[in-house]
Amino acid sequence: MRIAVYPGSFDPVTLGHLNIIHRASKLADKIIIGVAAHSGKSALFSVEERIDLLNTAIKNYEYPAECAVVVEGFDSLLIHFLQEHKAQMVVRGVRQYSDFEYEAQMSALNAQLSNYDIETVFLAAHAEYQSIASRFIKQVAELGGDVSPFVPQHVKSALDTKFNV
Ligand code: PNS
């Protein structure tokens, strides 16, 4: 069974993340979306809120292949989370070339930490998702811009509530 972990902050989930999940579901039998408590960034939403937003986003979603998709929080090292779930693969979306430097470094670190037991698979973001980053979405929402082209409706509502819009 091919088990993949798609880790991230997901603060909050965007249509770009959902597109990566959709495409990764063709590559694995099970995808565990790992919501990281430790990503080195301060978060707007709690881990529980981010998990709820993801669960709502994937609930009515039709995946192209037979693939189980679940959401879980983790507060450990990513490689320990993979080992706990007997996962062999990390999936990461890459939007711009500049993302790749950070991603390549992280994948090399994880490979080394896991004694070269796990692989990272990079999926290049499709053109319409290349501008979508959670950190920009939060700023746009906070300053009264329309984020509806970038996030599911329930995420827009959650952002509106956070920012008292
Ligand atoms: O969506 P992000 O913030 O780019 O995701 C980064 C994430 C969560 C994948 C990374 O910070 C991570 O793996 N955190 C878990 C702790 C860990 O294993 N750190 C060492 C690798 S950087």
Side-chain angles (χ1 to χ4, degrees):
M1 183 151 167
R2 290 164 309 162
I3 303 176
V5 169
Y6 178 35
S9 306
F10 303 105
D11 185 43
V13 59
T14 67
L15 297 183
H17 294 130
L18 294 176
N19 180 254
I20 296 294
I21 298 166
H22 174 87
R23 291 164 57 200
S25 70
K26 298 176 202 163
L27 308 176
D29 302 303
K30 180 175 182 181
I31 299 173
I32 303 164
I33 305 170
V35 180
H38 301 289
S39 66
K41 300 171 189 163
S42 63
L44 175 66
F45 293 97
S46 68
V47 170
E48 291 70 28
E49 287 172 323
R50 288 181 262 155
I51 291 173
D52 283 350
L53 292 172
L54 268 158
N55 270 323
T56 304
I58 64 167
K59 199 167 55 188
N60 297 318
Y61 202 76
E62 291 221 355
Y63 293 100
E66 273 294 302
C67 179
V69 181
V70 297
V71 184
E72 252 191 64
F74 71 103
D75 59 7
S76 61
L77 270 182
L78 177 58
I79 55 140
H80 291 160
F81 186 64
L82 266 95
Q83 285 159 356
E84 185 190 323
H85 290 283
K86 299 193 175 4
Q88 308 88 351
M89 188 186 346
V90 175
V91 173
R92 293 286 287 171
V94 180
R95 286 164 305 217
Q96 312 289 341
Y97 185 73
S98 53
D99 285 349
F100 191 71
E101 284 182 6
Y102 166 72
E103 294 297 334
Q105 202 175 1
M106 199 159 61
S107 97
L109 177 67
N110 287 328
Q112 215 170 343
L113 286 173
S114 71
N115 211 11
Y116 300 95
D117 206 30
I118 61 163
E119 295 295 340
T120 302
V121 174
F122 298 113
L123 295 178
H126 287 165
E128 64 264 46
Y129 303 109
Q130 274 176 11
S131 64
I132 307 180
S134 297
R135 67 179 187 282
F136 296 143
I137 302 294
K138 285 180 281 195
Q139 203 172 80
V140 171
E142 184 173 14
L143 299 175
D146 179 17
V147 294
S148 48
F150 312 118
V151 294
Q153 184 53 46
H154 71 285
V155 173
K156 180 186 179 318
S157 305
L159 284 163
D160 287 347
T161 306
K162 279 279 178 203
F163 294 123
N164 293 318
V165 175

